[in-house]
Amino acid sequence: MRETMRFEQKNAILYSAETVLDEAVAFLQALIRIPTVNPPGEAYPTCARYIGEQLHELGYAVEYVELTPAEVAELAPYGDGLPRVNVIGRLHGSQLSPVLHFNGHMDVVPVGLGWSCDPFGGEVRNGRIFGRGAADMKGGIAAQIYAVEALRRAGLQVQGTIEQSGVVDEESTGNRNAGMGLLVERGYISPDRTDYVVITEPLHVNNICLGHRGAIWGEITTFGRQSHGSTPERGVNAVEHMADFISEAIRELRPRLQQRLNSVPIVPVSARAASLAFGTIEGGTYLNIVPERCTVTFNRRLVMSERLEDARSELCELLERRTRTQPDFRYSYSERYATGPTWVSSETSLVQAFATAIQEVLGQTPGYVCSPGTSDQRFVVNNAGIEQCIIYGPGEITQAHIADESLAIDDLLASIKVMALATAHLLGVYIP
Ligand SMILES: [Zn+2]
């Protein structure tokens, strides 16, 4: 960290954060009104341009990172061929390095049922902003941009470069993807040029998130033999095979997973154990036909102590055992996405800058926590090999993906203050 910031500078930053809040709220409302629903990945170009124009207005050099249709087909297989565009803004201070990169994903999950307000309205009620993506994580994008703007309005310049990116396809994950994965593959984020990365996902403003659990998203199909519904004895019922397998997995595997607890604190605490959940099921073609095929998707979450290979073989062992005991049991197993857990050190200048800022703004020591779901951090830490990458942003993780998703405006303000002070601590500021 640079020399201690002067008392007046700190106050000027905190005051300035208050003055940009209304603009940050308006910007967030406008972002919510662009329905970047993923899958399949709608309105990405509009959203990227909107962020890019805002960054341009605030003095950034803006670059759009686009993909050819062939690259879209390869990197976004569930994206209906819709265009993918990422946006990066660069703001140079008195020197080019170090580089602090703020990142947020523009995409939001589908709306679902049970909303009491317009999911794309950006309505403000009782001190909260409502809408799909308010917390996860258009609020983070607004906070990261206006935190840096607060420094500028306080009459300060940073000693280094600030980068801001808005990326696509975080929600659809992937071992590679068209968003953060692509920025890493193309070298926009690399150890040679990027010193620190802050991903502004919602893990509570008093927490610094250092990693996430691992995950396997996969598909299991059972195969049977079709026959007339009136003569089921002549067929093999793939749906019944699947039902048996699912209940065995729940009965036998799940209790074992529940014993395995994460070695580091996780938010929410209910997610501290390893887990397995089935997501979708599809089988059969008609009531009067014994089905020859049934497919489920599953979602396995790994705690810190687990390895991908072990999680795989544990699940496949259940399936294999059935093939040994039931001669007509046939199956296939495939994966869409797999990542091991990530975890970075808290003993870095990036983490310490944020810890100091949280202490200053909220008067408390931060929690060092793990995220239950995976995030784009894996690309930065595992693929690019950048250790100094944390998740810090406004909002509660429990607001993510729910009906009536919302973000407290107080949270937005607190995170703007924390990020502004942390940036000043990390890079150093001066009066130009
Ligand atoms: Zn998110």
Side-chain angles (χ1 to χ4, degrees):
M1 226 182 298
R2 305 302 170 88
E3 79 277 15
T4 319
M5 219 190 317
R6 295 213 316 276
F7 181 72
E8 315 86 75
Q9 289 182 338
K10 202 181 295 177
N11 278 343
I13 293 169
L14 293 174
Y15 173 74
S16 181
E18 310 256 353
T19 64
V20 299
L21 180 62
D22 286 350
E23 284 165 71
V25 168
F27 178 67
L28 170 55
Q29 288 177 301
L31 281 184
I32 290 171
R33 289 172 191 144
I34 305 170
T36 46
V37 174
N38 179 30
E42 285 158 17
Y44 285 164
T46 310
C47 193
R49 307 260 163 229
Y50 184 73
I51 294 171
E53 277 157 24
Q54 191 68 15
L55 288 171
H56 176 76
E57 237 169 68
L58 299 175
Y60 289 72
V62 175
E63 183 177 353
Y64 295 97
V65 181
E66 314 205 26
L67 291 85
T68 63
E71 287 170 322
V72 169
E74 189 187 353
L75 294 176
Y78 303 96
D80 287 358
L82 292 169
R84 266 62 192 157
V85 186
N86 303 290
V87 57
I88 302 178
R90 276 183 206 89
L91 189 67
H92 294 306
S94 59
Q95 55 203 45
L96 293 183
S97 66
V99 173
L100 167 58
H101 186 107
F102 284 102
N103 163 267
H105 64 83
M106 302 184 281
D107 57 324
V108 299
V109 291
V111 168
L113 302 173
W115 287 74
S116 70
C117 56
D118 177 359
F120 302 112
E123 186 186 319
V124 173
R125 210 196 310 152
N126 302 327
R128 300 184 74 93
I129 305 165
F130 287 81
R132 177 54 86 226
D136 185 13
M137 55 161 292
K138 288 173 170 174
I141 295 176
Q144 68 191 50
I145 292 174
Y146 283 91
V148 175
E149 182 57 11
L151 292 176
R152 201 176 67 100
R153 301 244 185 122
L156 299 166
Q157 203 172 8
V158 297
Q159 298 172 345
T161 295
I162 303 278
E163 290 181 345
Q164 305 264 7
S165 64
V167 298
V168 300
D169 287 354
E170 192 275 343
E171 297 291 359
S172 42
T173 67
N175 295 338
R176 294 173 67 204
N177 82 0
M180 201 59 158
L182 185 81
L183 296 196
V184 169
E185 282 182 23
R186 290 198 185 166
Y188 288 99
I189 294 170
S190 80
D192 301 339
R193 53 179 315 265
T194 319
D195 297 278
Y196 315 106
V197 179
V198 177
I199 300 175
T200 54
E201 294 263 16
L203 267 306
H204 299 235
V205 286
N206 52 350
N207 288 329
I208 298 172
C209 172
L210 300 176
H212 59 68
R213 295 191 302 175
I216 303 175
W217 291 13
E219 203 172 277
I220 294 167
T221 299
T222 50
F223 301 97
R225 189 176 59 246
Q226 194 171 316
S227 76
H228 195 286
S230 66
T231 54
E233 74 287 352
R234 295 172 57 81
V236 174
N237 194 315
V239 167
E240 290 174 12
H241 269 317
M242 184 59 83
D244 265 2
F245 163 70
I246 291 176
S247 38
E248 186 182 21
I250 291 170
R251 211 174 46 242
E252 280 202 19
L253 184 52
R254 188 170 287 168
R256 274 190 272 151
L257 299 183
Q258 282 166 345
Q259 301 290 311
R260 287 178 212 155
L261 301 181
N262 213 34
S263 51
V264 289
I266 191 158
V267 201
V269 69
S270 60
R272 68 190 179 283
S275 64
L276 170 70
F278 293 98
T280 60
I281 183 161
E282 212 180 322
T285 46
Y286 182 56
L287 182 153
N288 203 20
I289 299 175
V290 168
E292 63 169 2
R293 179 187 275 259
C294 182
T295 299
V296 292
T297 53
F298 69 88
N299 193 323
R300 172 77 163 83
R301 300 294 171 150
L302 287 73
V303 293
M304 288 290 157
S305 57
E306 289 187 293
R307 294 185 320 158
L308 282 174
E309 308 87 88
D310 299 334
R312 271 178 199 128
S313 51
E314 188 173 46
L315 197 53
C316 289
E317 176 47 33
L318 284 186
L319 291 159
E320 277 301 308
R321 207 167 66 196
R322 296 186 86 80
T323 62
R324 290 195 294 270
T325 53
Q326 302 177 31
D328 61 4
F329 183 84
R330 287 188 302 128
Y331 75 96
S332 70
Y333 171 99
S334 63
E335 292 177 6
R336 280 185 199 183
Y337 165 54
T339 177
T342 59
W343 190 254
V344 299
S345 166
S346 60
E347 306 294 313
T348 60
S349 46
L350 174 64
V351 175
Q352 290 316 308
F354 271 78
T356 305
I358 288 171
Q359 184 71 50
E360 287 164 339
V361 174
L362 303 168
Q364 54 179 279
T365 342
Y368 293 126
V369 300
C370 172
S371 164
T374 67
S375 73
D376 280 340
Q377 191 205 28
R378 70 187 183 282
F379 291 121
V380 181
V381 175
N382 296 349
N383 299 20
I386 297 170
E387 167 80 2
Q388 297 216 50
C389 173
I390 60 168
I391 289 98
Y392 179 83
E396 303 118 77
I397 184 78
T398 46
Q399 283 293 325
H401 303 198
I402 64 169
D404 285 350
E405 177 179 348
S406 69
L407 173 71
I409 293 176
D410 282 350
D411 251 31
L412 181 63
L413 176 60
S415 73
I416 290 173
K417 287 179 175 174
V418 168
M419 284 195 258
L421 284 182
T423 300
H425 287 313
L426 188 63
L427 301 182
V429 286
Y430 68 101
I431 301 166

